Amino acid sequence: NTPRGHRGSHNGEGMRKGTKAGEGAAREVAAYLLDHGGFAGVPATSLANLTDSVEDDGKLGSLQEYVENTAEAEEFGPSMFPCEEVHKITILDIRLANTDRNAGNILVQSDEDGKIVRLIPIDHGYALPHTLEDVCFEWEFWPQANMPYSDDVKEYVAMLDADEDIAYLRENDIELDAAPERVLRVCTALLKEAVPRNFRAADIASMLNRKMPNRKSDIEKIAAQAASTAIAEGRSERGLLVHKSPENGSFWNDLAGDEVAEKRFMSRFTKLLIDYLDNMVPEHELAAK
């Protein structure tokens, strides 16, 4: 799970911003569990305790089913990939706010004639981060990302429920901190509001990805505004001082530990998100004018 061109930090942060060292195994399992019905094709994955001897307490890791494949996707031109297969991965990645999706962690299966028939996403140790500052999808620039989602994809998105997903993870001993749970809720809401409005994968990726490292994405800005509002409302109702600037680096971080603000955050975020989407024209519609 080493993203290309990135080195680890010495402060507990993972190799992508917003991730933490030691959380990768649980994220691998979470990606499998949240890929309901094998929609995107994440191979079966479970937690495993790796030991050298009986006396050794071992190290927690993840064990993933081996899947026969032709090669990694980076060995092919993206135009060769089936559109529906790419779209399934885009839904998974957006939902998990994947910070490390590149062609090197997608496996390819071909038929007897050499035609690519299936894409298999792997390496999800840097999914479900604590923040949205380093979300990255290589497929954003593939031609399939500018094609409309099928009815099957839209139906799948319609049945997603972040609260049920979080409960399902807990039932399977995958406990996320409050911030990654919030990320899952935010990204699920984004899909559920954007996909029915006919936004395409590239459109949604553009909303999530930073154009420049030090400039927040549109979704980060909306989340920050929602967090600020939720915190201010809660503090005001409790007769506490309302801070005009964040105390922990960002209003997103300030939500941690504030149960009152955390509970109302999503309603504030969803309202702002709907206003944002209703006032945005998808790129393909602009190009058609």
Side-chain angles (χ1 to χ4, degrees):
N1 290 323
T2 303
R4 298 173 188 188
H6 286 256
R7 296 180 179 178
S9 69
H10 299 287
N11 60 2
E13 186 177 67
M15 294 185 182
R16 290 286 192 184
K17 291 181 179 179
T19 66
K20 293 184 179 181
E23 293 183 338
R27 296 308 193 269
E28 294 279 9
V29 177
Y32 167 65
L33 292 173
L34 296 179
D35 185 27
H36 302 305
F39 182 75
V42 178
T45 311
S46 65
L47 292 175
N49 195 42
L50 310 177
T51 61
D52 292 328
S53 65
V54 177
E55 294 79 17
D56 183 15
D57 289 335
K59 180 180 180 181
L60 185 66
S62 61
L63 185 65
Q64 189 166 75
E65 173 191 16
Y66 173 75
V67 178
E68 291 285 348
N69 63 90
T70 307
E72 295 176 352
E74 64 183 356
E75 297 186 28
F76 301 87
S79 61
M80 299 176 67
F81 304 146
C83 186
E84 192 77 356
E85 290 294 296
V86 173
H87 282 180
K88 291 176 181 179
I89 292 176
T90 70
I91 296 299
L92 176 74
D93 285 344
I94 292 168
R95 189 156 151 247
L96 303 183
N98 198 348
T99 65
D100 184 34
R101 173 63 71 212
N102 58 71
N105 53 38
I106 298 176
L107 303 179
V108 169
Q109 286 185 338
S110 304
D111 62 17
E112 295 178 353
D113 298 321
K115 180 182 178 181
I116 296 174
V117 295
R118 188 181 176 206
L119 299 179
I120 303 161
I122 59 172
D123 292 347
H124 299 100
Y126 292 100
L128 293 172
H130 292 251
T131 69
L132 294 167
E133 59 188 310
D134 206 9
V135 179
C136 180
F137 313 126
E138 183 175 325
W139 50 252
E140 179 182 355
F141 307 102
W142 294 358
Q144 298 88 341
N146 284 299
M147 299 297 290
Y149 282 124
S150 67
D151 289 341
D152 286 345
V153 171
K154 290 181 178 180
E155 289 175 8
Y156 179 82
V157 169
M159 57 77 63
L160 295 175
D161 186 308
D163 289 331
E164 289 184 1
D165 285 342
I166 290 167
Y168 182 55
L169 290 178
R170 290 173 180 167
E171 289 171 7
N172 286 275
D173 299 322
I174 302 297
E175 291 281 349
L176 301 178
D177 290 342
E181 287 186 353
R182 196 184 315 132
V183 164
L184 179 59
R185 289 189 175 99
V186 162
C187 292
T188 301
L190 174 59
L191 280 173
K192 291 179 74 69
E193 295 296 340
V195 170
R197 288 174 169 79
N198 294 319
F199 285 95
R200 300 177 180 181
D203 298 322
I204 303 172
S206 181
M207 299 173 194
L208 269 173
N209 294 347
R210 290 188 173 191
K211 306 301 182 290
M212 297 179 66
N214 295 323
R215 295 184 62 180
K216 286 183 170 61
S217 68
D218 287 355
I219 298 303
E220 283 182 279
K221 293 175 184 176
I222 294 171
Q225 185 178 347
S228 174
T229 301
I231 291 169
E233 289 176 350
R235 293 185 67 85
S236 178
E237 289 173 3
R238 287 173 283 172
L240 301 174
L241 177 66
V242 175
H243 298 285
K244 294 183 179 180
S245 58
E247 295 183 290
N248 299 297
S250 70
F251 287 113
W252 175 273
N253 292 337
D254 286 353
L255 284 172
D258 189 335
E259 294 184 6
V260 174
E262 191 78 69
K263 287 179 180 178
R264 69 176 68 195
F265 165 77
M266 276 310 300
S267 64
R268 303 300 181 267
F269 173 81
T270 303
K271 183 180 184 302
L272 291 169
L273 175 65
I274 290 172
D275 290 343
Y276 165 80
L277 293 174
D278 285 346
N279 286 285
M280 174 171 282
V281 179
E283 287 292 330
H284 64 275
E285 292 185 10
L286 286 173
K289 291 182 179 180

